[in-house]
Amino acid sequence: MTAKKTLAGLGLCMSAFTMAAGQATDYPFHQPVSLQYAMPDELKGSELKKVITDYNDNVHVLTDKGFYRTSGNALVRDVRFRPLAEKIPLDVTAQEGSGHLYYLYADKWLTNGYAGIPYMDLPVKGRYNQLAVAADGSVLLAGPGAAALARGGKLVNCAPPPEQVEQLQVNNGRFFALTTKGIYSLAGEKFVPLQAVRQPQAMAFRNGEVIIGTHNGYYAVNSQTGDTSLRLQQRVPVPDISALLVRNGRVWAGTPQGAFAEDSAGLYRYFASRRWLNEDKVKSMATDGEGNVYLLTSTGLNRISFPEHTLAEKAAYFQRKIRERHIRYGFIANLHLSRPGDAATSQMTDTDNDGLWSAFYLGSQAFRYGVTKEPKAKRYAWEAFEAFERILSINQLKGFPSRTFERKGYKNSDPERWRDSPDPEWEWKGHTSSDEFVAYIWIAAVLHEMVAETPEEKQRVADFIDKIMTHIIDNKYYLVDIDGKPTLWGRWNPEYINWYPETIGDRKLGSTTIIAGLQLGYALTGKKKYKDEATRLMNKHGYLKNILIDYRKITYTPGYKHMGIDMGTGGWNHSDDEMAFLTYWVLYRYAFTDQLKQQYGGAIRNHWEIERPEKNAVWDLIALGTTGDFDAAATLWWMRTFPMDLVTWQIKNSHRKDLTFLPANFRGQTTERLIPLDEQPVHRHNANAFNLDGGRGGSSELAGDEFLLPYWMARFLKVLK
């Protein structure tokens, strides 16, 4: 991988896809990923001073306890040169041009490069604590109130800057000093002011300019004249800049709240939280010839790299990850991590919506089989379906689907909702909701379309949906639990549905989901009762009219309380978006008539247009697979920026100064533009993509089916090669 290619990846290769005849080619692209190096116990409580890379791309860290280097994924004491192994340098730097390391000790400076010839004893021990080395071998030394230039075997004292020197650097053979009050350059044997700066904190060089980091942003001046060449950049994620690095013409900045970097679109990528760094306070940065960026904090070393992969390779990564540790009895499983972020401590647990989350994975395998005809994809789809079949057979009720099940004594979520199974080894979870119902009709539809090939397989799917729909019809359009009462959300009865005003989404959504289920039941079983019931609900009870309610009417409507819950408050419901779009696939593709299909298409388009700012790839692809509406750029951007790390780290973006914030609004859109998914808190499709902050402290990990479903849908719908 070349450095040029890698740094193009910082902008996430916005041109990594080309569209031809409506189909995108899956060219390789670069996506940032993080590695946090394991730290040796002896460095606990020590001062980590700076990170340095040499011409071999070896990575080193200077500490107050000695000199360290990376070895694999760990930081270890550098004992390779026995004469230096026990010595503690005051400073280490890489020579401009050659990349050889030069070491400064209290009584000497030296290098192991050039056969170890460059070397000098210092006349006064401890006078200097910093050094910089030019390409011609000149060595500039600085310390409190002192500076000297070593050249040609001689040490010449220089007039130091009047303020304390914080950094020494060399650029194009010229030495520069960052002090507490500005930037100086060395002219002959004297430092001369280049730019007075209020509270400067860092400097770096780009072409013929000095980039200067302050508490309030960064700017640039001409390195010869000191004239301003770039105005103060304050509209950055965090203006308090503690370290600077320039890589292929783009600025990287370390801050007390993470790091950020310019991207190819003129925006900034923000790297903060445990997803990217062991802690957010960045002290020092370095880069290597491969384009990897190393960020040193007070307590650890981190690497951000830009590996090249295709979306197909990304999908294969998540597929493997899921098969390794996320399959629980066929369900997709959320992981609990007893040590934050440590997959080795993971345990699979049940959740409130095992069926819904598993529907995304089953769907991904159904579309995968539709594309590839791989036997494994078919096997995985049926394996997931076995879990769905068992939610019916594990309980005592006829046609009632359990939320989930577990061996007795090991339940995790909502313990009050669990019931004993007739099988004494198992328990099942009741209180099943409309979320789960949507999962049932979705998986039945995609299995029927793409996976079920024999009459027996098709009958198996039909029997599943028939049992559930029969239960709902026989119980007056309710899911009735073991206590004989309707569940909290499993309700489609006209009295319930039409109790809501048009401004509350439940009226529209409930009508949509049950009509889709009845249409599907008719298509899969041929039973006339399903068509008759759907027709009755649409014509007599207004369910078709409800489906066609304009989504722009949905708004804050307090005062409508259902079982103590005010249904008209709380803002836009993004879980409803998830249920609606999964249902649209079924509603549209199983419509009784072309006229209905046309009407449904208008409703889908109305919803999709509202959702477009969220750039959700699944919503885009379902719109494409129904109405033909599609935002190709948004879908590809979503898949490219979907994070590789799905641990629920605590993420914060609400403090960023590079974002344009919107006034509080019903939809909860906090910012003008959506930030990349790998900068957002980890979330499923039912969350607000504009939530800037969130997380669970790294205590859990999502599986990756959230990515697999849109990837394989894109392949199935032939928008991605």
Side-chain angles (χ1 to χ4, degrees), residues 21 33 46 65 142 197 230 257 331 467 514 578 653 686 692:
V33 296
S46 65
K65 292 185 178 179
V197 185
L230 176 69
Q257 294 175 284
F331 288 127
K467 290 174 184 177
I514 197 63
E578 177 182 54
N653 289 288
N686 65 335
L692 296 173

Side-chain angles (χ1 to χ4, degrees), residues 538-597:
M538 286 193 285
N539 294 339
K540 182 179 179 180
H541 295 287
Y543 279 34
L544 177 59
K545 183 181 176 182
N546 292 344
I547 291 170
L548 302 181
I549 292 170
D550 191 329
Y551 250 109
R552 291 170 294 188
K553 287 186 176 181
I554 308 301
T555 189
Y556 181 75
T557 313
Y560 288 83
K561 291 189 177 180
H562 167 60
M563 297 182 71
I565 302 169
D566 195 326
M567 302 297 291
T569 61
W572 191 269
N573 191 319
H574 296 274
S575 286
D576 286 359
D577 294 330
E578 177 182 54
M579 287 192 284
F581 274 93
L582 290 181
T583 300
Y584 291 154
W585 184 274
V586 186
L587 181 75
Y588 184 91
R589 295 169 80 92
Y590 290 88
F592 294 136
T593 66
D594 288 341
Q595 182 183 1
L596 278 175
K597 186 174 286 190

